[in-house]
């Protein structure tokens, strides 16, 4: 009988751990996704400004290359920030999976599903 209670206790502990890890993952990933969304919005606005600068300077025959380079540089910085945030998001998911004992993701199938190391076939499309 003590063996039964030990197994129940172990199952409950695993369940509590899983809920704790998954809730932390959800909170952290929501924050990073919000940051990515804000950065993407700023990027879209920067592209609109770049287009406006090009249009107005071309119609006046006074193309300001320095101003264009500065705007392109700002867009490049936003791209780098977005890429870093996406890497942080992937790290959050990988850490949560590792905490739960899931095998690391080895790649992504053509169908878009992730597969783990040693997988013989895709679990989604076969």
């Amino acid at each position: 009988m003590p063996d039964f209670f030990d197994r129940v206790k172990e199952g409950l502990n695993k369940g509590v751990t899983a809920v704790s890890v998954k809730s932390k993952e959800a909170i952290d990933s929501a924050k990073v996704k919000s940051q990515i969304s804000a950065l993407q919005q700023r990027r879209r606005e920067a592209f609109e400004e770049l287009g406006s600068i090009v249009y107005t300077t071309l119609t006046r025959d006074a193309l300001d290359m320095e101003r264009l380079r500065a705007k392109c540089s700002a867009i490049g910085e936003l791209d780098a920030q977005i890429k870093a945030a996406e890497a942080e998001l992937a790290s959050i998911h990988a850490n949560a999976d590792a905490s739960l004992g899931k095998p690391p993701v080895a790649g992504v199938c053509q169908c878009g599903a992730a597969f783990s190391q040693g997988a013989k076939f895709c679990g989604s499309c076969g």
Side-chain angles (χ1 to χ4, degrees):
M1 194 64 129
D3 187 42
F4 170 75
F5 289 117
D6 289 340
R7 284 186 285 156
V8 169
K9 182 180 175 184
E10 183 180 321
L12 287 174
N13 286 339
K14 284 183 182 179
V16 169
T17 300
V19 168
S20 174
V21 168
K22 284 299 190 180
S23 63
K24 180 174 178 1
E25 176 187 20
I27 291 168
D28 291 346
S29 65
K31 287 178 187 177
V32 174
K33 286 178 182 178
S34 175
Q35 292 171 351
I36 291 171
S37 180
L39 288 168
Q40 289 172 333
Q41 179 61 35
R42 286 178 45 201
R43 185 178 184 269
R44 282 189 294 275
E45 291 169 357
F47 268 113
E48 289 177 13
E49 290 172 15
L50 179 63
S52 178
I53 293 168
V54 169
Y55 176 76
T56 55
T57 57
L58 280 177
T59 56
R60 296 178 186 159
D61 278 334
L63 193 59
D64 185 357
M65 292 304 290
E66 190 59 37
R67 191 171 170 200
L68 294 175
R69 283 190 187 99
K71 186 54 72 176
C72 288
S73 177
I75 291 171
E77 290 174 19
L78 287 170
D79 286 339
Q81 291 174 5
I82 290 169
K83 190 172 184 175
E86 288 171 342
E88 182 181 354
L89 185 61
S91 175
I92 289 169
H93 293 306
N95 289 340
D97 287 346
S99 295
L100 294 174
K102 293 183 180 179
V105 173
V108 178
C109 180
Q110 292 176 345
C111 73
F115 58 87
S116 59
Q117 291 177 332
K120 303 286 184 196
F121 59 89
C122 176
S124 193
C125 69

